[in-house]
Amino acid sequence: MFIGFDYGTANCSVAQMINGEPRLLNLEGDSVYIPSTLAAPTRESVAEYLFKFRDIKPYDKVGEQVLRRAININREEGIELEANDVAFGEAALSLYLQDPGESYYVKSPKSFLGASGLRDVQVSFFEDLVCA
C-alpha cells in the first residue's frame, strides 16, 4: 500500500493509491482534511503521550532527557496522562475551548519546522510536536 501525506500549515490530508489513482481518505468524520492543531494538558504531555500511547521512543540522549523531564513535571503537577488527553484537529480545538487556561494548544505545528538558532532541547521538543 502507498499513501501520500500532506502536512499543511492549516490542514493535513492523506491519500491512498487505489488502482493507480490517489484517493483522499476521510480523517475527521466525512472530511478529508483535519486541522493542523494539537491540544494537551501541558506542553510536557506531548512527549509522554508519544512514548506512552504511540510507542515512539526518543532516538538520542537529548530526547531521552526531554522525555524524563516531561514525565517528572507531569507527575509533580499531578497529571496522570490518559490516551484521550491529547487531541488533534477539531477535537483539539474543542478540548482547548473547554478550558483555555488549563490547556496547551498549538495551531500549525508545521510552523516550527525550519526554525534556526535553537538549543538541542528546543529542537527535540519541536520534533515531538511535529511527530504528534
Side-chain angles (χ1 to χ4, degrees), residues 70-128:
I71 291 170
N72 288 336
I73 288 173
N74 287 334
R75 293 307 159 268
E76 288 171 8
E77 295 290 322
I79 296 170
E80 288 294 324
L81 197 64
E82 296 181 15
N84 61 350
D85 288 342
V86 177
F88 308 94
E90 291 295 332
L93 180 58
S94 294
L95 182 64
Y96 171 70
L97 291 176
Q98 288 175 18
D99 194 353
E102 295 298 319
S103 295
Y104 178 73
Y105 181 74
V106 177
K107 183 172 174 63
S108 302
K110 178 182 176 181
S111 63
F112 294 112
L113 297 173
S116 61
L118 302 174
R119 297 182 320 217
D120 289 345
V121 172
Q122 292 169 311
V123 170
S124 182
F125 172 68
F126 290 155
E127 286 173 348
D128 285 345

Side-chain angles (χ1 to χ4, degrees), residues 1-129:
M1 171 173 35
F2 294 96
I3 66 164
F5 176 63
D6 177 14
Y7 188 32
T9 304
N11 294 294
C12 298
S13 61
V14 176
Q16 177 182 6
M17 289 300 285
I18 300 175
N19 298 324
E21 296 290 324
R23 183 173 303 154
L24 288 170
L25 304 177
N26 289 349
L27 297 177
E28 202 167 52
D30 291 335
S31 178
V32 295
Y33 301 104
I34 185 170
S36 299
T37 57
L38 172 147
T42 64
R43 71 183 219 150
E44 288 78 16
S45 298
V46 176
E48 184 176 354
Y49 168 84
L50 291 172
F51 178 74
K52 190 173 181 181
F53 298 107
R54 298 293 180 202
D55 196 32
I56 297 173
K57 297 169 181 60
Y59 66 89
D60 63 12
K61 294 288 185 197
V62 174
E64 290 172 7
Q65 291 170 348
V66 168
L67 177 60
R68 276 195 301 275
R69 180 179 178 277
I71 291 170
N72 288 336
I73 288 173
N74 287 334
R75 293 307 159 268
E76 288 171 8
E77 295 290 322
I79 296 170
E80 288 294 324
L81 197 64
E82 296 181 15
N84 61 350
D85 288 342
V86 177
F88 308 94
E90 291 295 332
L93 180 58
S94 294
L95 182 64
Y96 171 70
L97 291 176
Q98 288 175 18
D99 194 353
E102 295 298 319
S103 295
Y104 178 73
Y105 181 74
V106 177
K107 183 172 174 63
S108 302
K110 178 182 176 181
S111 63
F112 294 112
L113 297 173
S116 61
L118 302 174
R119 297 182 320 217
D120 289 345
V121 172
Q122 292 169 311
V123 170
S124 182
F125 172 68
F126 290 155
E127 286 173 348
D128 285 345
L129 277 179

